[in-house]
C-alpha cells in the first residue's frame, strides 16, 4: 500500500496572503480497499508545531497537501499541494512559510511501536468525551511494528472506559471491532481496551504487572501490545492495547451466561432494554444485603457459572446494571453477565456471602476453600502486595466462577498507580514505601452514606486472610518456589529491553501531553530513564522486603488513627447505618 503525507493549510477565504498559514494538518494515508484514509494531523506544541510520524511512513512515496491564499515554501523552496513529501525525509525540522507567516515544524519519528488509526463517523470524539457510554462507529486500521496490517476494516464502536482515569486529559477507550480478530497473537476477540496510562510517567507499570503475572502463571492475565494511537488525524499518544476481562475462549474461558440468557429468551428482542429490579438507587451501594438485577423472564438450565464479578466502591455501584451488597458492606458488580437475572443475582449473592462469612468467621482454609480457590487467593494476594496495589480488595478486583465450581480470584487488572506511584495515603499507609506491607492492612472504603472515605472498621478479605498463619505459610512457599524468580525476570525485561523499545513513543507522548514539563528530547529521555529506574528500584526493594518477611502474620506497619479521629469514624458509620436502614424501611431505595 502506498503511504501518503497529507498536509493541509485549512481554508482561509477572505484572509490576506501573509495570514495564510494559521492552521495546518499533516496526515499519514494508507490506500485501503474500502477507500478510507489514515490521516495524522500536526500538533501545536508550546514551542513549535509537531508532526509525530510512525515508522511506516515512506516520504518518498508520500504527498503533501495544503490550501493557502498564496505560495508556500519549505525551507525557502516552493512546494505545491499534492506534490511529493520527500522534502521531509531525514529531517528533524522544517520551516513552512507563506507570505510573512512562518511555522517551525519539528518531526518526531516513532519506531518499534505498533500503530492504531481510527476514523469516527462524526469526524470527532466530542460525543464520546461528553458521555463515556456513548458509542461511535467508524473505521480502524492497526499496523504492526513490521508494517503488517493486523486489522483493516469497520469499527463497531469506540467509547470511554475507566473511572478516575476517565476524568484525566488523556482518556482511555474501549473499542469493538466488527469481526473477531487475533490481534498480535493475543487471541480472537471483538472487544479490546486502549489504556492511556496517563498517571504513569514511566508508561511501563501495567506492562510490568501483566508480564509478571503471566510469568507466574496467574490465570487469564491480560495480554498487551504498546501502540501509538491516531484518532481522526490527531495524535492521541502512547497507549497499551490490551485484552479485556471478559468471558471468551481466549480470555476468561468459562461458560458465557450472557449468550445463554439470550438463548433462554428467544422472544426477547433486547435484554438490555428490559426493566431493572431490586435496589438500584443513588445510595444502593451502601445498603447492606441488597441486590439489583434485570427482569429477564427465563433462566438457563444451569446458573452455577460462568460469572465474572468485580469488587467496587459503593459510590460507583449505582452506575452498574447488576450486583449486590454483602452483609459486611462489600459492593459487588456483575461484569458477566452484565445483564443478570434475579435468580442469577440471588444465587451469586448467596454464594459470595458464604465465602465472606467463612473469611470473616476465621474459618480454616479448607472451609474457605469450599467457596473460593485458595491457590488463586494466594496468587492474587502476594501479587498485589508486590505491586503495592492500593485498590486491591476495593475496586478493579475480579473474581470468576465456572459452572459447578468455586470462585477464583482474578484476573489481575489496573496497575498504573502501583509500584510506588500512588498519590494517596490510605489507611495511614504510604504505598510509595516498598519496605512495608500494604494490601494486608486494607479496609473497605466509604461504607456508609456519611463520613470520610475511610470511615470504616471492616477489613477486606485480603486483610483477614493475611492474618491466617496457614495462609501466610502458603504465601511463603509460593514466593520461594515461583514468584521471586517470575517477578524478578519480568522487572528485568520490562525496565530494560521493553522500556528501550518504546522510548520513541514515550518521547512523542511526553511532548503531546507535557508529561515532563519540557519538549527537549534529551531532557525527556533523561526524565523517562529516571521514571523507569524508579519502577525497577521499587520492584526490587519490595521483592527484597517480601522475601525477608513473608510467612509470618503481618502486623500493622503504619500509624493508626488517633482516638478522636477513630471515634469520629465510628460515630459516622453508626449514623450512616441508621440512615441506610431508614431508607430501606421507608422504601426510598430507588427514589433518592
Amino acid at each position: 500500500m502506498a503511504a501518503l503525507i497529507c498536509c493541509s493549510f485549512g481554508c482561509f477565504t477572505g484572509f490576506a496572503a501573509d495570514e495564510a498559514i494559521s492552521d495546518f494538518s499533516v496526515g499519514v494515508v494508507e490506500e485501503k480497499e474500502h477507500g478510507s484514509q489514515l490521516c495524522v494531523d500536526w500538533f501545536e506544541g508550546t514551542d513549535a508545531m509537531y508532526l509525530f510520524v510512525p515508522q511506516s511512513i515512506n516520504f518518498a512515496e508520500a504527498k503533501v497537501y495544503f490550501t493557502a491564499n498564496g505560495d508556500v515554501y519549505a525551507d525557502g523552496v516552493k512546494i505545491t499541494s499534492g506534490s511529493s513529501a520527500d522534502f521531509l525525509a531525514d529531517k528533524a525540522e522544517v520551516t513552512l512559510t507563506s507570505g510573512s507567516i512562518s511555522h517551525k515544524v519539528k518531526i518526531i519519528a516513532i519506531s518499534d511501536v505498533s500503530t492504531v488509526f481510527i476514523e469516527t463517523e462524526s469526524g470527532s470524539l466530542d460525543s464520546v468525551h461528553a458521555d463515556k457510554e456513548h458509542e461511535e462507529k467508524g473505521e480502524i486500521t492497526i499496523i504492526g511494528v513490521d508494517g503488517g496490517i493486523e486489522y483493516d476494516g469497520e469499527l463497531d464502536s469506540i467509547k470511554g472506559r475507566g473511572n478516575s482515569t476517565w476524568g484525566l486529559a488523556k482518556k482511555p477507550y474501549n473499542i469493538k471491532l466488527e469481526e473477531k480478530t487475533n490481534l498480535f497473537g493475543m487471541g480472537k476477540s471483538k472487544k479490546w481496551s486502549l489504556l492511556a496510562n496517563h498517571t504513569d510517567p514511566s508508561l511501563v507499570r501495567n506492562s510490568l504487572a501483566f508480564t509478571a503475572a503471566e510469568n507466574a502463571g496467574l490465570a487469564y492475565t491480560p495480554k498487551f501490545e504498546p501502540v501509538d494511537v491516531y484518532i481522526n488525524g490527531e495524535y492521541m499518544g502512547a497507549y497499551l492495547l490490551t485484552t479485556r476481562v471478559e468471558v471468551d475462549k481466549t480470555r476468561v474461558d468459562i461458560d458465557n451466561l450472557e449468550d445463554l440468557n439470550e438463548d433462554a429468551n428467544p422472544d426477547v428482542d433486547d435484554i438490555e432494554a428490559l426493566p431493572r429490579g431490586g435496589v438500584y438507587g443513588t445510595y444502593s451501594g451502601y445498603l447492606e444485603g441488597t441486590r439489583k438485577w434485570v427482569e429477564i423472564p427465563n433462566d438457563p438450565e444451569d446458573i452455577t457459572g460462568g460469572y465474572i464479578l468485580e469488587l467496587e466502591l459503593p459510590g460507583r455501584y449505582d452506575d452498574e446494571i447488576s450486583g449486590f451488597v454483602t452483609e459486611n458492606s462489600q459492593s459487588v458488580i456483575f461484569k458477566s453477565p452484565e445483564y443478570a437475572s434475579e435468580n442469577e443475582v440471588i444465587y451469586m449473592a448467596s454464594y459470595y456471602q458464604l465465602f465472606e462469612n467463612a473469611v470473616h468467621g476465621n474459618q480454616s482454609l479448607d472451609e474457605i476453600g469450599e467457596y473460593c480457590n485458595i491457590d488463586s487467593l494466594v496468587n492474587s494476594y502476594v501479587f498485589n502486595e508486590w505491586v503495592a496495589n492500593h485498590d486491591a480488595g476495593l475496586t478493579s478486583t475480579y473474581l470468576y466462577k465456572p459452572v459447578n465450581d468455586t470462585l477464583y480470584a482474578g484476573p489481575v487488572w489496573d496497575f498504573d498507580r502501583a509500584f510506588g506511584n500512588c498519590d494517596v495515603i490510605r489507611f495511614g499507609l504510604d504505598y510509595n514505601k516498598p519496605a512495608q506491607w500494604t494490601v494486608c492492612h486494607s479496609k473497605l472504603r466509604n461504607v456508609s452514606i456519611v463520613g470520610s472515605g475511610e470511615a470504616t472498621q471492616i477489613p477486606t478479605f485480603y486483610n483477614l486472610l493475611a492474618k491466617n498463619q496457614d495462609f501466610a505459610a502458603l504465601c511463603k512457599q509460593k514466593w520461594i518456589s515461583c514468584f521471586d524468580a517470575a517477578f524478578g525476570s519480568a522487572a528485568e525485561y520490562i525496565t530494560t529491553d521493553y522500556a528501550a523499545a518504546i522510548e520513541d513513543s514515550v518521547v512523542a507522548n511526553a511532548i503531546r501531553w507535557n508529561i515532563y514539563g519540557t519538549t527537549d528530547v534529551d531532557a525527556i529521555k533523561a526524565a523517562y530513564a529516571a521514571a523507569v529506574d524508579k519502577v525497577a528500584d521499587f520492584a526490587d526493594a519490595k521483592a527484597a522486603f517480601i522475601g525477608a518477611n513473608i510467612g509470618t502474620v503481618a502486623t500493622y506497619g503504619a500509624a493508626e488513627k488517633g482516638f478522636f479521629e477513630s471515634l469520629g469514624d465510628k460515630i459516622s458509620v453508626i449514623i450512616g447505618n441508621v440512615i441506610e436502614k431508614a431508607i430501606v424501611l421507608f422504601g426510598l431505595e430507588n427514589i433518592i
Side-chain angles (χ1 to χ4, degrees):
M1 298 184 183
L4 177 69
I5 290 287
C6 175
C7 305
S8 63
F9 289 99
C11 294
F12 298 97
T13 304
F15 283 77
D18 64 353
E19 297 175 321
I21 302 180
S22 61
D23 195 12
F24 178 154
S25 66
V26 178
V28 178
V29 177
E30 295 281 346
E31 297 294 342
K32 300 185 293 181
E33 291 182 1
H34 50 77
S36 65
Q37 296 179 332
L38 308 176
C39 185
V40 181
D41 293 339
W42 74 355
F43 171 73
E44 185 174 0
T46 57
D47 60 334
M49 305 302 286
Y50 283 86
L51 176 60
F52 302 108
V53 185
Q55 64 184 10
S56 57
I57 296 305
N58 184 342
F59 287 114
E61 298 180 3
K63 293 183 180 180
V64 59
Y65 287 89
F66 57 86
T67 58
N69 294 328
D71 295 331
V72 177
Y73 296 85
D75 290 337
V77 178
K78 184 177 179 180
I79 57 176
T80 304
S81 181
S83 63
S84 172
D86 193 43
F87 68 90
L88 295 171
D90 301 321
K91 284 190 176 181
E93 185 177 301
V94 62
T95 298
L96 297 174
T97 304
S98 181
S100 63
I101 306 297
S102 293
H103 282 290
K104 180 169 64 176
V105 181
K106 293 186 176 181
I107 301 170
I108 304 296
I110 306 173
S111 61
D112 296 324
V113 175
S114 301
T115 315
V116 174
F117 296 96
I118 293 174
E119 301 171 33
T120 64
E121 281 189 345
S122 68
S124 80
L125 283 174
D126 291 348
S127 295
V128 174
H129 289 169
D131 177 7
K132 185 176 71 172
E133 297 303 319
H134 176 81
E135 297 183 356
E136 179 102 23
K137 291 183 178 295
E139 295 180 347
I140 181 171
T141 299
I142 303 174
I143 305 173
V145 174
D146 61 359
I149 303 297
E150 290 286 323
Y151 185 87
D152 186 8
E154 299 300 316
L155 178 67
D156 192 65
S157 70
I158 178 173
K159 67 176 185 176
R161 69 162 314 280
N163 291 306
S164 60
T165 53
W166 181 246
L168 302 176
K170 182 186 177 188
K171 299 187 181 301
Y173 304 98
N174 280 335
I175 59 174
K176 184 179 180 182
L177 308 179
E178 186 180 45
E179 299 177 356
K180 282 191 173 185
T181 306
N182 182 14
L183 298 179
F184 303 104
M186 293 190 286
K188 279 191 172 184
S189 182
K190 291 183 179 182
K191 299 177 180 180
W192 303 82
S193 290
L194 289 167
L195 304 184
N197 292 321
H198 195 44
T199 61
D200 177 12
S202 76
L203 293 182
V204 302
R205 284 179 167 87
N206 266 311
S207 302
L208 172 54
F210 294 156
T211 301
E214 183 73 22
N215 284 358
L218 272 62
Y220 307 129
T221 295
K223 295 177 174 57
F224 65 91
E225 174 77 11
V227 296
D228 279 290
V229 176
Y230 299 80
I231 301 180
N232 298 317
E234 181 180 2
Y235 175 64
M236 305 300 289
Y239 280 74
L240 208 61
L241 176 69
T242 72
T243 59
R244 289 168 60 178
V245 178
E246 61 174 333
V247 175
D248 194 272
K249 291 294 184 183
T250 61
R251 302 297 184 257
V252 180
D253 189 10
I254 59 178
D255 286 54
N256 193 326
L257 267 180
E258 288 186 353
D259 291 346
L260 293 174
N261 281 343
E262 291 183 0
D263 293 342
N265 295 273
D267 296 330
V268 176
D269 293 331
D270 185 5
I271 284 180
E272 296 182 12
L274 293 174
R276 295 168 63 179
V279 176
Y280 50 85
T282 302
Y283 300 107
S284 54
Y286 301 91
L287 305 179
E288 290 84 355
T290 60
R291 300 158 182 176
K292 61 178 179 177
W293 58 81
V294 177
E295 298 285 6
I296 300 175
N298 305 306
D299 291 309
E301 184 177 343
D302 190 342
I303 62 170
T304 64
Y307 296 95
I308 299 178
L309 307 177
E310 182 185 4
L311 308 186
E312 188 52 282
L313 302 179
R316 297 174 181 170
Y317 177 83
D318 180 49
D319 293 332
E320 305 295 336
I321 305 300
S322 310
F324 57 90
V325 183
T326 71
E327 298 295 341
N328 285 296
S329 300
Q330 176 65 68
S331 51
V332 182
I333 62 174
F334 284 68
K335 298 301 289 186
S336 185
E338 184 179 8
Y339 293 79
S341 72
E342 180 178 6
N343 287 332
E344 288 166 348
V345 172
I346 289 172
Y347 169 78
M348 203 60 252
S350 300
Y351 191 96
Y352 190 92
Q353 191 62 58
L354 293 173
F355 164 59
E356 184 180 83
N357 292 345
V359 174
H360 280 261
N362 296 317
Q363 295 182 14
S364 69
L365 293 189
D366 286 342
E367 291 171 306
I368 295 171
E370 293 180 11
Y371 307 109
C372 190
N373 180 272
I374 297 300
D375 189 56
S376 73
L377 288 168
V378 168
N379 292 345
S380 179
Y381 168 66
V382 178
F383 174 82
N384 279 291
E385 278 288 10
W386 178 62
V387 305
N389 181 12
H390 73 300
D391 281 337
L394 303 173
T395 182
S396 296
T397 299
Y398 291 97
L399 300 101
Y400 62 92
K401 186 182 184 300
V403 169
N404 292 320
D405 203 345
T406 66
L407 286 164
Y408 289 78
V412 300
W413 186 255
D414 193 11
F415 304 102
D416 53 332
R417 290 182 175 175
F419 295 110
N421 190 40
C422 183
D423 56 359
V424 299
I425 300 294
R426 185 174 289 173
F427 319 117
L429 296 166
D430 184 349
Y431 287 78
N432 296 329
K433 294 180 178 179
Q436 63 176 8
W437 297 111
T438 53
V439 176
C440 63
H441 301 308
S442 62
K443 297 179 181 179
L444 302 188
R445 293 184 64 241
N446 202 20
V447 298
S448 69
I449 290 176
V450 300
S452 70
E454 296 178 14
T456 175
Q457 307 299 316
I458 303 174
T460 65
F461 63 71
Y462 286 123
N463 181 316
L464 295 171
L465 286 169
K467 293 170 175 53
N468 181 308
Q469 185 59 65
D470 292 335
F471 186 83
L474 290 177
C475 291
K476 181 175 183 177
Q477 291 174 16
K478 201 63 176 284
W479 180 264
I480 294 171
S481 65
C482 175
F483 287 161
D484 192 14
F487 295 171
S489 63
E492 173 67 21
Y493 164 69
I494 291 296
T495 58
T496 54
D497 296 348
Y498 178 88
I502 67 170
E503 185 181 56
D504 288 347
S505 180
V506 170
V507 169
N509 184 79
I511 294 172
R512 170 67 178 84
W513 294 106
N514 194 29
I515 301 300
Y516 299 115
T518 180
T519 60
D520 181 84
V521 172
D522 290 336
I524 290 172
K525 289 181 178 180
Y528 171 57
V532 173
D533 286 345
K534 179 181 176 181
V535 176
D537 291 345
F538 187 95
D540 290 345
K542 192 60 182 280
F545 172 80
I546 292 176
N549 294 279
I550 198 166
T552 57
V553 175
T555 57
Y556 197 67
E560 295 277 9
K561 290 185 175 181
F563 173 79
F564 290 106
E565 186 179 9
S566 180
L567 179 62
D569 282 351
K570 291 179 181 179
I571 292 173
S572 67
V573 169
I574 292 171
I575 295 172
N577 287 337
V578 171
I579 295 173
E580 292 156 20
K581 292 182 186 302
I583 289 173
V584 175
L585 177 64
F586 292 103
L588 303 176
E589 305 99 321
N590 302 328
I591 299 176
I592 61 174

